[in-house]
Amino acid sequence: MSDKIKVVIITAQGFQDHDIIYTYYRSTEQNYDVSVATQNGEKVVGKYGISVPMDKRSKPNITFNDLNVADFDLVILTGGHEAPDRVRQDSRVKNFVKAMASEGKVVAGLCHGPWIMISSDIMRGKLACAYVGLKDDMVNAGANVIEGDVVVDKNIITCSYYAEVGKFMRETFLAVERWKRGEVLDEPLVIK
């Protein structure tokens, strides 16, 4: 059995191309075992024409039925307002994200990706940052929203804008390392 960290990026048609490209390749560079999940494992295309799977070495996409908490250490929820809005309507994803959070595994949402976290009912009482178009939804979900580029509240990570994806991935990797050691931050961390 592999000791590699297993990550799943969940998306749909109309994703933010920048988000998927950076999180996918940065995770593979980190030597993580990366899967991309779409509703039925179908190929999907981003707002600017990038499709996943992205290259001939990429594994085929998995389906939402394949989302099993025991199989993953980290879930990354990327943006582009169209894809997360589609994804958050699927109960399989919402149940998976909620279970990942409950088990203390790392749940990381970028730009509009936290819409899925909101619909999974994991943001109540969490410190978070939010994209400007998502702030009201995050507040209405019970999160304490502050200004910041990235916020880490235990195993929940939010990022306000895709231009901050470098900071987001650094903090996500650090959170996974803490999780592997059985540690969490005592206080939320705010990156500006």
Side-chain angles (χ1 to χ4, degrees):
M1 186 159 144
S2 172
D3 288 337
K4 279 189 177 186
I5 295 296
K6 293 190 171 192
V7 56
V8 62
I9 300 169
I10 303 177
T11 195
Q13 189 71 19
F15 60 83
Q16 180 68 40
D17 302 51
H18 311 77
D19 293 10
I20 295 284
I21 292 168
Y22 193 89
T23 60
Y24 178 87
Y25 286 114
R26 187 62 191 89
S27 295
T28 58
E29 180 184 28
Q30 194 72 14
N31 200 31
Y32 286 6
D33 180 353
V34 184
S35 296
V36 176
T38 60
Q39 185 175 28
N40 297 307
E42 72 277 13
K43 174 181 165 182
V44 292
V45 179
K47 291 169 51 174
Y48 301 106
I50 297 294
S51 62
V52 290
M54 283 186 280
D55 63 54
K56 64 183 178 182
R57 295 183 192 165
S58 298
K59 297 185 290 188
N61 294 342
I62 64 171
T63 75
F64 291 170
N65 284 333
D66 298 319
L67 296 173
N68 182 344
V69 175
D71 295 339
F72 297 100
D73 306 302
L74 162 64
V75 58
I76 298 175
L77 305 166
T78 57
H81 68 277
E82 187 180 343
D85 194 36
R86 288 180 168 155
V87 170
R88 72 185 183 139
Q89 296 175 45
D90 195 296
S91 61
R92 295 170 295 179
V93 173
K94 292 185 284 188
N95 292 337
F96 172 74
V97 169
K98 188 168 191 155
M100 289 285 286
S102 294
E103 291 203 14
K105 295 186 176 188
V106 180
V107 178
L110 170 62
C111 205
H112 274 84
W115 250 349
I116 303 162
M117 298 158 80
I118 290 167
S119 294
S120 300
D121 195 27
I122 65 168
M123 295 310 301
R124 188 165 313 284
K126 296 291 183 187
L127 190 67
C129 58
Y131 178 69
V132 66
L134 199 68
K135 185 175 180 181
D136 291 343
D137 296 327
M138 193 70 86
V139 168
N140 289 334
N144 179 13
V145 180
I146 60 167
E147 292 297 318
D149 296 336
V150 178
V151 174
V152 181
D153 190 343
K154 297 198 180 352
N155 61 321
I156 305 298
I157 303 171
T158 51
C159 181
S160 60
Y161 189 56
Y162 67 79
E164 306 304 340
V165 71
K167 295 176 190 177
F168 171 74
M169 291 305 290
R170 278 192 299 276
E171 293 306 323
T172 297
F173 296 150
L174 290 171
V176 169
E177 289 300 317
R178 285 191 297 272
W179 174 78
K180 281 175 51 179
R181 294 189 306 264
E183 301 170 2
V184 293
L185 294 174
D186 292 331
E187 296 290 327
L189 175 65
V190 179
I191 307 296
K192 295 186 177 197

